[in-house]
């Protein structure tokens, strides 16, 4: 049942799509400037984004930095691919009005600079580099297309429920490590709208990291040698694995590999696929043995078990049995699991303070889906195919009726996401900001030694 | 005797280590102007040789050995109590020299940090501990109970990086991870709630980070003091020395050509073909082709020829022959000959200009219509390969050369070319076009003598 409304004439007339179409979310007409205008008018959580970006400096605390929000860079990508960088705003109202007026197809968030980005040219002349980033969340970007060599269900821009577990794995491994190893607490995970996830670490300590420290964290997470040009090689050499690595393997990777990906991706079901795994075994007599066995039998006579599970069991048995003395062979099983599961980060995104990253709650132009937060505690329940889409939300607004002119996102499918953002992320974050604002002058005691870690910046 | 004081701070009473100062504050020592310059030059030799070694891809232990050797060679002093003074003074003088632009600061910071790292590593654990406490780092070693709680994890980390297992007697420091980015990046430390657990043998990393951070800030402050006060105040005394030091090339300056390098105008084409480095060949060929060169090219080639032994009269004749084909002899005599005589110190300031070193040539920026500069830097890959092929370099060698170019090691690229053409190695590496010429001529003459 379709009833085409007059686009742009009457705000509340929205095309009605069938339930099926909405669910698939692949309607190109589900994204256009008019819909977006409505979205920014009624649904986008402007105030929450402002509060987040203010980190408590918009409050009444006498020690607040009133220039803080105004020194943050935003960038807008407009309809005709026009790209506006170094946008900055001095209040929530300015931010909201500019978004509503310009209706950007994408909003990126950059760093907080030493001075208002709008004034950067005035400072470019000074030799001492006075215009530079001073704070920026620690961010991560994980993109499913980086896993194309280990997933068979889709490739490129597509994602489905068979390969989405790779994202779940990435969230679990990285989230846990950021909290446990690095001591960070205020972490926001966001669906990128199409095929990946973003991570924003918002602790003050994280925001004050310099590029070298960010690179160190990115490298701490790195397990692959080689790049896009050479075959990715996992290197787990050594008599033992670092506790972070062994923990990730034992708690997340092994489980997901054996229980989800092995069968979900049918990693050992065809010759082409199992050969890729056999090629990772450095001992040809063993890989040869398995190869023969698997080429010969399509299905073992008795068992009703999934063939991937059976074969994996056989592989593990040979490599990990007591007979194998060579540690390199025992390590082989882990290396295979790592290759098929371990998170693949975009290092460049994490390393640079001035890297721009898409803001949460944007709508992805190609899918129409909203970039909603993901709860890391329940990330295995996240379903990218049922994320609210723009068309769906506007339809919901429509149905809520014009009597609720101010309702906004409440009452729509977006409510859950915004509530989660506020209660699980924003509130605890702002509470911690209150605690860490510098003390009042009368409370100042003798200053402790300025450590590198206290954020005194250097070249 | 005149006093040097780079910064107005109180001196630390005494240095903790007998051999490794931390350069926390400028010393209140007296030094003669001569020593001011000479000490700095000696230290600069160490830093530059180290820099060379690094860009040639030497490994850390090789660099360590190199540092020991260089220090012994350049930083000794007949009076043993002055060795430390020389160390400290030379460092602070070079701070003045290298604080003045961001590139200079970056280079100096990098070299001094590397130097410090290697010297620190060579010290005993005792001394290392002492130096650590000098930094007044508020990091405590783990207590026994704290150690027991994380012993197993620490052991696992140690095994993962092939290090000895920590025992209850080991000193382990709990340190915010921001202090040891290298160790974090390599997963060489146990991490818990934002703290890195650093073993005594990893302490170098900690201290080096502190050293670098401190020096980096100090350089910025020094620069401010320099521009706001010192440069002007010292314009008749220290400033000329400081300014000369930063662009100093530390090899022979080829202002006095050796006997066997003297060439006359008849020899030019022959030696250009056999012994000119690519930058000069290119200029030479262009000159022959177009009968003209713009100012930058005239300077670079002209001074090179002077260094190679071309006498003023021959030089005038050479340039006249070419230029007159384009602009006529009268114009040449009126407009161009003056500059040539100027280069030889016969006009104006009468400075005897010295031929440009590679460093200087590489950093020049040729514009449209210019042919000077370093071809390894400025030519496109296609043009460079064509030029190398013309010189007789095989395409296999050209590949190696291109690899050096891609990594911006232009002098190494030129060295490879030299080695390919002369079929012998050049360990010193090319850092001056006249050096290329001299070495080339040496080899060719040795060969022709052997043949006789």
């Amino acid at each position: 049942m379709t009833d085409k409304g007059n686009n742009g004439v009457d705000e509340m007339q929205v095309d009605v799509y069938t339930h099926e179409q909405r669910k698939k979310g692949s309607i190109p007409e589900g994204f256009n400037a008019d819909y977006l205008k409505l979205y920014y008018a009624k649904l986008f959580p402007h105030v929450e984004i402002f509060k987040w970006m203010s980190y408590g400096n918009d409050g009444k605390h006498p020690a607040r930095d009133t220039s803080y929000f105004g020194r943050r860079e935003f960038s807008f990508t407009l309809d005709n691919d026009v790209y506006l960088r170094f946008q900055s705003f001095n209040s929530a109202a300015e931010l909201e009005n500019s978004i509503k007026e310009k209706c950007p197809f994408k909003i990126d968030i950059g760093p907080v600079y030493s001075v208002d980005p709008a004034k950067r040219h005035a400072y470019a002349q000074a030799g001492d580099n006075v215009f530079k980033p001073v704070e920026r969340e620690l961010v991560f970007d994980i993109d499913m297309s980086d896993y194309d060599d280990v997933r068979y269900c889709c490739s490129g821009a597509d994602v489905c429920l068979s390969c989405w577990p790779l994202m779940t794995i990435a969230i679990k491994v990285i989230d846990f490590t950021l909290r446990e190893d690095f001591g960070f607490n205020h972490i926001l995970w966001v669906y990128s709208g199409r095929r990946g996830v973003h991570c924003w670490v918002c602790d003050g300590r994280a925001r004050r990291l310099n590029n070298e420290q960010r690179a160190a964290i990115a490298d701490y997470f790195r397990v692959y040698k080689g790049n896009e040009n050479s075959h990715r090689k996992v290197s787990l050499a050594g008599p033992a694995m670092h506790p972070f690595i062994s923990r990730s393997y034992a708690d997340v990777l092994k489980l997901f590999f054996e229980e989800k990906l092995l069968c979900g991706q049918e990693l050992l079901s065809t010759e082409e696929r199992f050969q890729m795994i056999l090629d990772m075994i450095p001992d040809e007599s063993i890989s040869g043995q398995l190869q023969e066995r698997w080429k010969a039998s399509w299905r073992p006579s008795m068992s009703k078990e999934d063939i991937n599970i059976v074969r994996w069991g056989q592989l593990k048995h040979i490599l990990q049995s007591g007979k194998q003395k060579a540690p390199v062979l025992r390590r082989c099983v882990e290396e295979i699991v790592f290759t098929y599961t371990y998170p693949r980060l975009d290092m460049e995104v994490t390393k640079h303070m001035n890297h721009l990253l898409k803001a949460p709650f944007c709508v992805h132009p190609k899918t129409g889906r909203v970039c909603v937060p993901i709860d890391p505690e329940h990330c295995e329940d996240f379903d990218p195919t049922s994320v609210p889409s723009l068309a769906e939300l506007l339809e919901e607004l429509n149905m809520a009726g014009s009597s609720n002119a101010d309702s906004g996102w409440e009452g729509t499918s977006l409510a859950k996401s915004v509530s989660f953002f506020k209660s699980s992320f924003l509130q605890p974050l702002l509470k911690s900001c209150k605690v860490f604002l510098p003390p009042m002058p009368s409370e100042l005691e003798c200053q402790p030694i300025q450590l590198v870690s206290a954020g005194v910046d250097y070249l | 005797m005149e006093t040097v004081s780079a910064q107005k701070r109180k001196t630390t009473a005494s240095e903790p280590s007998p051999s490794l100062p931390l350069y926390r504050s400028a010393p209140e020592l007296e030094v003669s102007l001569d020593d001011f310059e000479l000490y700095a030059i000696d230290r600069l030799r160490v830093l530059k040789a180290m820099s060379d070694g690094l860009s040639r891809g030497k490994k850390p232990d090789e660099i360590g050995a190199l540092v020991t050797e260089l220090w012994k060679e350049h930083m000794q002093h007949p009076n043993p109590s002055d060795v430390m003074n020389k160390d400290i003074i030379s460092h602070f003088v070079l701070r003045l020299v290298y604080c003045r632009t961001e590139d200079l600061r970056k280079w100096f910071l990098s070299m001094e940090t590397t130097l410090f790292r290697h010297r620190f590593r060579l010290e005993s654990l005792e001394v290392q501990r002492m130096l650590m406490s000098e930094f007044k780092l508020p990091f405590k070693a783990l207590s026994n109970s704290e150690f027991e709680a994380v012993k197993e994890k620490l052991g696992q980390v140690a095994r993962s990086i092939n290090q000895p297992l920590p025992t209850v007697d080991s000193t382990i420091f709990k340190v915010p991870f921001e202090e040891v980015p290298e160790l974090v990046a390599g997963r060489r430390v146990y991490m818990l709630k934002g703290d890195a657990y650093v073993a005594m043998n990893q302490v170098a990393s900690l201290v080096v980070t502190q050293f670098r951070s401190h020096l980096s800030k100090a350089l910025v402050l020094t620069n401010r003091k320099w521009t706001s006060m010192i440069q002007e105040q010292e314009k008749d005394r220290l400033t000329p020395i400081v300014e000369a030091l930063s662009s100093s090339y530390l090899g022979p300056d080829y202002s006095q050509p050796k006997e066997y390098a003297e060439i006359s105008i008849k020899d030019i084409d022959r030696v250009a073909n056999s012994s000119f480095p690519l930058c000069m060949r290119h200029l030479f060929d262009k000159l022959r082709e177009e009968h003209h060169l713009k100012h930058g090219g005239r300077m670079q080639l002209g001074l090179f020829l002077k260094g190679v032994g071309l006498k003023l009269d021959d030089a005038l004749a050479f340039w006249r022959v070419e230029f007159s084909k384009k602009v006529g002899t009268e114009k040449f005599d009126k407009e161009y000959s003056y500059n040539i005589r100027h280069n030889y110190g016969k006009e104006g300031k009468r400075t005897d200009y010295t031929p440009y070193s590679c460093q200087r040539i590489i950093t020049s920026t040729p514009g449209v219509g210019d042919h000077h500069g370093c071809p390894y830097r400025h030519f496109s890959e296609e043009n460079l390969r064509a030029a190398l092929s013309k010189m007789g370099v095989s395409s296999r060698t050209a590949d190696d050369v291109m690899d050096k170019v891609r990594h911006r090691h232009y002098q190494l690229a030129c060295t490879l070319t030299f080695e390919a053409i002369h079929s012998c190695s050049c360990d010193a590496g090319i850092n001056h076009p006249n050096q290329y010429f001299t070495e080339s001529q040496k080899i060719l003459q040795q060969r022709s003598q052997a043949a006789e």
Side-chain angles (χ1 to χ4, degrees), chain A residues 56-279:
Chain A
N57 286 297
D58 59 320
K60 303 258 192 310
H61 194 294
R64 71 189 184 276
D65 177 355
T66 48
S67 76
Y68 187 85
F69 182 71
R71 289 186 283 120
R72 168 81 68 169
E73 177 188 4
F74 292 87
S75 81
F76 290 168
T77 307
L78 306 184
D79 187 347
N80 37 11
D81 271 339
V82 167
Y83 185 53
L84 302 173
R85 264 202 78 172
F86 297 111
Q87 305 295 291
S88 59
F89 312 99
N90 290 311
S91 65
E94 270 186 44
L95 172 69
E96 183 168 345
N97 291 338
S98 188
I99 290 177
K100 283 175 171 167
E101 185 212 336
K102 297 196 167 74
C103 202
F105 274 29
K106 185 160 82 111
I107 302 171
D108 287 305
I109 301 176
V112 177
Y113 282 94
S114 50
V115 296
D116 183 339
K119 305 196 179 100
R120 66 193 181 281
H121 297 301
Y123 292 85
Q125 301 313 311
D128 251 348
N129 237 338
V130 181
F131 177 69
K132 59 179 189 233
V134 294
E135 275 193 24
R136 204 268 190 280
E137 293 74 11
L138 174 65
V139 293
F140 297 88
D141 179 352
I142 302 159
D143 188 321
M144 190 66 90
S145 60
D146 284 340
Y147 293 78
D148 282 352
D149 58 308
V150 295
R151 59 175 182 147
Y152 297 109
C153 49
C154 334
S155 71
D158 299 327
V159 291
C160 69
L161 291 175
S162 285
C163 52
W164 189 259
L166 289 166
M167 291 294 117
T168 308
I169 291 170
I171 295 174
K172 279 181 173 305
V173 168
I174 295 172
D175 190 78
F176 189 83
T177 306
L178 288 172
R179 290 175 202 274
E180 180 70 13
D181 293 19
F182 289 95
F184 295 126
N185 294 306
H186 302 286
I187 303 175
L188 176 72
W189 287 91
V190 186
Y191 173 51
S192 75
R194 188 163 61 159
R195 63 186 188 210
V197 295
H198 296 161
C199 175
W200 298 76
V201 185
C202 303
D203 298 52
R205 200 175 166 186
R207 301 193 320 264
R208 289 186 286 269
L209 292 171
N210 61 32
N211 286 357
E212 187 192 6
Q213 290 154 347
R214 287 162 204 263
I217 297 179
D219 281 326
Y220 185 80
F221 280 107
R222 182 156 60 138
V223 143
Y224 302 99
K225 299 271 148 85
N227 52 26
E228 321 81 50
N229 297 329
S230 64
H231 183 61
R232 272 186 217 275
K233 180 98 179 58
V234 168
S235 168
L236 296 174
M241 294 191 279
H242 186 280
F244 149 60
I245 298 287
S246 58
R247 172 189 77 215
S248 303
Y249 178 76
D251 294 353
V252 183
L253 305 184
K254 179 172 149 82
L255 210 76
F256 269 80
F257 179 83
E258 291 183 350
E259 294 183 14
K260 285 230 148 61
L261 292 169
L262 198 51
C263 303
Q265 293 289 325
E266 298 196 74
L267 294 176
L268 292 169
S269 59
T270 69
E271 186 174 333
E272 196 189 324
R273 294 183 191 188
F274 70 57
Q275 197 55 50
M276 259 186 64
I277 289 183
L278 290 179
D279 285 344

Side-chain angles (χ1 to χ4, degrees), chain A residues 278-442:
Chain A
L278 290 179
D279 285 344
M280 298 204 283
I281 301 175
D283 183 325
E284 272 187 29
S285 68
I286 295 179
S287 57
Q289 216 180 101
L290 289 166
Q291 187 190 57
E292 254 180 66
R293 205 162 158 190
W294 296 348
K295 265 171 148 167
S297 73
W298 168 244
R299 184 166 279 285
S301 42
M302 317 159 284
S303 155
K304 287 208 174 85
E305 246 190 311
D306 183 298
I307 193 164
N308 299 287
I309 295 187
V310 170
R311 287 180 172 169
W312 180 246
Q314 290 168 352
L315 185 149
K316 274 202 298 182
H317 181 77
I318 281 196
L319 286 174
Q320 290 179 333
S321 75
K323 283 191 267 173
Q324 293 309 340
K325 296 298 179 190
V328 104
L329 286 177
R330 301 186 72 89
R331 198 55 92 229
C332 192
V333 172
E334 281 102 332
E335 284 185 357
I336 294 170
V337 171
F338 268 81
T339 304
Y340 280 82
T341 61
Y342 187 83
R344 301 180 179 197
L345 304 177
D346 186 337
M347 307 284 281
E348 293 307 304
V349 169
T350 303
K351 284 180 174 182
H352 302 291
M353 271 182 104
N354 56 11
H355 191 99
L356 293 157
L357 193 61
K358 184 161 64 174
F361 295 105
C362 281
V363 182
H364 197 297
K366 299 220 168 68
T367 62
R369 296 208 190 269
V370 179
C371 302
V372 293
I374 302 176
D375 181 357
E377 307 257 308
H378 303 292
C379 55
E380 58 276 3
D381 297 332
F382 181 81
D383 178 2
T385 63
S386 64
V387 168
S389 73
L390 185 53
E392 199 180 301
L393 289 170
L394 295 178
E395 170 64 16
E396 286 170 6
L397 267 185
N398 213 4
M399 310 232 282
S402 39
S403 56
N404 263 340
D406 296 323
S407 60
W409 44 263
E410 289 168 31
T412 68
S413 315
L414 203 57
K416 211 172 54 149
S417 297
V418 181
S419 293
F420 172 78
F421 179 81
K422 286 171 70 168
S423 62
S424 296
F425 169 69
L426 193 56
Q427 260 165 37
L429 173 65
L430 294 181
K431 191 159 163 211
S432 80
C433 289
K434 279 202 179 64
V435 173
F436 285 110
L437 281 174
M440 294 291 291
S442 58

